[in-house]
Amino acid sequence: YVSSPTFVIKKEYVGRLHIYHYDTYRLGSADELEALGFREDVFSEGVVIVEWADRVPKLIPGTALHVTLEHGAVESYETLTSDAPGPDNSQRTLVLRGVEPGWSGAIEKLKFPYSPSRNTVE
């Protein structure tokens, strides 16, 4: 199980891929993130997940895939829409955006065969 690392800022998970999960909301500066080994993690063979990435934009590589949850329907080829309501019974849409062209193919692979009724990618 993966949970938000809010109070520890960084959590690591070992599995098929090593995951480095950061929550930058409470950081005072990008230097604090670098002191935690962020740059080394980004260039490792693992996956880096950053919550509140907009607080450290200079450290996020251009190769990043940006994942956001939007309330309501968003029409774009970059979206996966869930039919499971959010806490306020609103529709939720997972929006995937990648700057590099290679992400469009990966996003398409995630979309199909996406099963909104189960909120899973098969």
Side-chain angles (χ1 to χ4, degrees):
Y1 292 95
V2 176
S3 62
S4 177
T6 301
F7 296 105
V8 293
I9 301 174
K10 176 183 177 181
K11 281 191 175 182
E12 293 185 37
Y13 301 93
V14 179
R16 186 175 62 84
L17 294 172
H18 200 104
I19 296 175
Y20 305 93
H21 184 181
Y22 289 90
D23 185 329
T24 63
Y25 184 75
R26 295 177 10 173
L27 287 181
S29 71
D31 291 339
E32 290 179 44
L33 186 61
E34 288 197 277
L36 292 169
F38 181 76
R39 192 172 305 276
E40 291 84 5
D41 294 343
V42 166
F43 292 106
S44 73
E45 293 187 17
V47 174
V48 177
I49 299 168
V50 181
E51 293 183 49
W52 297 95
D54 57 333
R55 298 178 67 84
V56 290
K58 292 181 181 177
L59 295 181
I60 306 301
T63 57
L65 175 65
H66 298 266
V67 179
T68 56
L69 286 172
E70 303 285 341
H71 291 280
V74 177
E75 295 302 322
S76 168
Y77 76 92
E78 304 167 311
T79 63
L80 301 174
T81 303
S82 169
D83 60 358
D88 59 354
N89 279 338
S90 67
Q91 182 180 24
R92 296 174 293 175
T93 303
L94 181 66
V95 181
L96 308 171
R97 292 188 180 100
V99 176
E100 290 196 343
W103 279 118
S104 61
I107 291 169
E108 282 302 310
K109 286 180 184 176
L110 286 174
K111 285 177 67 171
F112 303 102
Y114 177 66
S115 174
S117 62
R118 292 196 321 266
N119 288 334
T120 62
V121 176
E122 296 175 348

